[in-house]
């Protein structure tokens, strides 16, 4: 056995490690989980896939690294599969695109149980189905830690929605949720005292059971493990005339600042419109923190943040959370900068 299989499941006689399956065996067990679908003219198994389609193709890629982007003790293989597909497809939706296909490059420790790869494949397949896309293919290799890289493809009905088109007078609108993923992460961190940063939350405050048994808190943990981006809202926003759009991968304020910078405008968000929901309030009470921080700076929910001309009827799923002002790339809350606000950064 080489490499690290983390603290997840161990290989056994009925579940041999990926090294025992061999590359062809591993690929076969994974590919068997992908049903194919319309538009996939040649699926996994040849040198490359062949997709039907015409017109511009939206492409994006995103990587999940064990220990950095997920932990085996917090996320199942299925969860990692869903998350890989979700964060890739959210970028397609954020351009106004409709997800069509996903490619996944997988590097696994040789000692990881083969069932982990199959669980991952099931998560990928299910999220592809939810997004209306197909698993088109991928690659496997060996590494000390699990590394999952997804590349998503999508189609466009019209022009792509960039980050740079917002103008003064536009409304700022949001589809999907902001905060639950960060709250779920904080609950997991608190519940596994000793294995998480202890300055963020009081780790002695929450017995693991509180997270596992309270359905509201468990839903937040699930939101962290398996984000559910509102994919159809992306193409709908494009069709309705959205002037700028982004998915909230790194936190509402940070991602809003990207629109503000790219468009050369200021986004003024409404504190009232961002009032934390009852689930976030309940979790914050358990952990002794301010739930508004999750709403404003929590990443990985992959909601869609978009700007629309004020005359436009917002498409289903969007609600107004602010307005666009003339000015220099700032994000405000009720007209004032929020001190010390920052979202997730990779470095
Ligand atoms: Mg994005």
């Amino acid at each position: 056995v080489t490499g690290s299989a983390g603290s997840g499941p161990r290989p056994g006689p009925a579940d041999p490690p990926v090294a025992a399956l061999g590359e062809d065996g591993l690929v076969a067990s994974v590919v068997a989980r992908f049903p194919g679908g319309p538009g996939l003219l040649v699926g996994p198994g040849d040198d490359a896939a062949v997709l039907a389609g015409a017109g511009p193709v939206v492409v994006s890629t995103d990587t999940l690294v064990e220990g950095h982007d997920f932990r085996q003790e917090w996320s199942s293989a299925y969860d990692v599969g869903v998350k890989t597909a979700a964060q890739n497809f959210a970028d397609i939706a954020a351009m106004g695109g409709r997800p069509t296909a996903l490619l996944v490059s997988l590097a696994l420790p040789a000692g990881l149980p083969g069932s982990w790869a199959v669980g991952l494949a099931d998560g990928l397949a299910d999220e592809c189905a939810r997004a209306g896309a197909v698993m088109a293919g991928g690659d496997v290799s060996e590494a000390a830690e699990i590394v999952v890289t997804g590349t998503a493809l999508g189609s466009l009905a019209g022009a792509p929605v960039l980050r740079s088109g917002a103008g003064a007078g536009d409304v700022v609108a949001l589809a999907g949720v902001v905060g639950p993923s960060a709250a779920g992460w904080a609950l997991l961190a608190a519940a596994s005292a000793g294995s998480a940063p202890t300055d963020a939350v009081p780790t002695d405050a929450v017995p693991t059971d509180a997270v596992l048994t309270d359905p509201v808190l468990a839903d937040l943990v699930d939101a962290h493990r398996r984000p559910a981006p509102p994919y159809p809202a992306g193409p709908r926003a494009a069709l309705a005339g959205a002037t700028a759009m982004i998915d909230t991968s790194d936190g509402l304020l940070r991602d809003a600042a990207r629109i503000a910078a790219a468009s050369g405008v200021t986004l003024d968000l409404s504190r009232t419109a961002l009032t934390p929901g009852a689930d976030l309030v309940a979790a914050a009470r358990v952990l002794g923190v301010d739930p508004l921080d999750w709403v404003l700076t929590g990443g990985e929910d992959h909601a869609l943040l978009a700007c629309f001309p004020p005359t436009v009827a917002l498409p289903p799923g969007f609600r107004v959370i602010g307005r666009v002002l003339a000015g220099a790339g700032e994000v405000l809350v009720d007209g004032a900068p929020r001190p010390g606000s920052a979202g997730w950064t990779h470095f």
Side-chain angles (χ1 to χ4, degrees):
V1 174
T2 60
S4 159
S7 58
R10 299 290 171 192
D15 187 6
V18 294
L21 296 172
E23 180 170 343
D24 289 347
L26 175 61
V27 168
S29 66
V30 166
V31 164
R33 319 304 286 187
F34 304 143
L40 186 62
L41 304 181
V42 178
D46 217 303
D47 294 290
V50 180
L51 298 165
V57 176
V58 194
V59 187
S60 183
T61 189
D62 218 332
T63 294
L64 285 168
V65 178
E66 179 185 6
H68 294 271
D69 301 296
F70 70 92
R71 301 178 182 203
Q72 277 206 64
E73 63 266 39
W74 291 1
S75 296
S76 70
Y78 182 90
D79 296 336
V80 175
V82 169
K83 197 167 199 167
T84 298
Q87 65 182 31
N88 275 284
F89 287 145
D91 282 328
I92 301 297
M95 300 299 289
R98 186 181 67 76
T100 54
L102 185 69
L103 298 152
V104 172
S105 180
L106 190 57
L108 300 176
L112 194 73
S115 62
W116 198 95
V118 173
L120 178 91
D122 284 340
L124 291 168
D126 283 358
E127 193 61 13
C128 279
R130 201 177 77 81
V134 293
M135 268 300 302
D139 183 40
V140 294
S141 188
E142 187 182 339
E145 276 83 38
I146 301 168
V147 181
V148 188
T149 299
T151 300
L153 306 178
S155 63
L156 283 172
V161 182
L162 310 184
R163 298 176 180 180
S164 53
D170 285 355
V171 299
V172 181
L174 185 74
V177 295
V178 284
S181 178
W185 185 92
L187 288 165
L188 283 167
S192 65
S195 66
T198 52
D199 51 351
V201 287
T203 51
D204 56 351
V206 190
T208 304
D209 289 357
V211 175
L212 297 179
T213 59
D214 182 312
V216 171
L217 302 186
D219 281 353
L220 293 173
V221 170
D222 282 347
H224 174 72
R225 290 174 168 150
R226 298 184 299 279
Y231 305 122
R236 275 188 212 135
L239 209 61
T243 55
M245 186 153 55
I246 192 169
D247 74 302
T248 61
S249 52
D250 297 330
L252 182 60
L253 291 182
R254 184 174 293 275
D255 289 313
R258 291 177 170 140
I259 287 183
S263 297
V265 294
T266 287
L267 270 55
D268 186 16
L269 306 182
S270 158
R271 167 70 183 81
T272 305
L274 297 173
T275 299
D279 52 349
L280 297 183
V281 170
R285 191 179 301 124
V286 168
L287 298 177
V289 299
D290 181 356
L292 185 62
D293 288 338
W294 290 328
V295 172
L296 293 177
T297 66
E300 295 199 323
D301 290 300
H302 303 288
L304 295 176
L305 178 68
C307 300
F308 295 89
T311 50
V312 156
L314 289 188
F318 280 94
R319 59 197 178 91
V320 174
I321 63 161
R323 61 202 176 117
V324 180
L325 309 175
E330 266 190 300
V331 177
L332 309 174
V333 178
D334 284 350
R338 187 175 160 85
S341 56
W344 169 256
T345 56
H346 289 282
F347 299 102

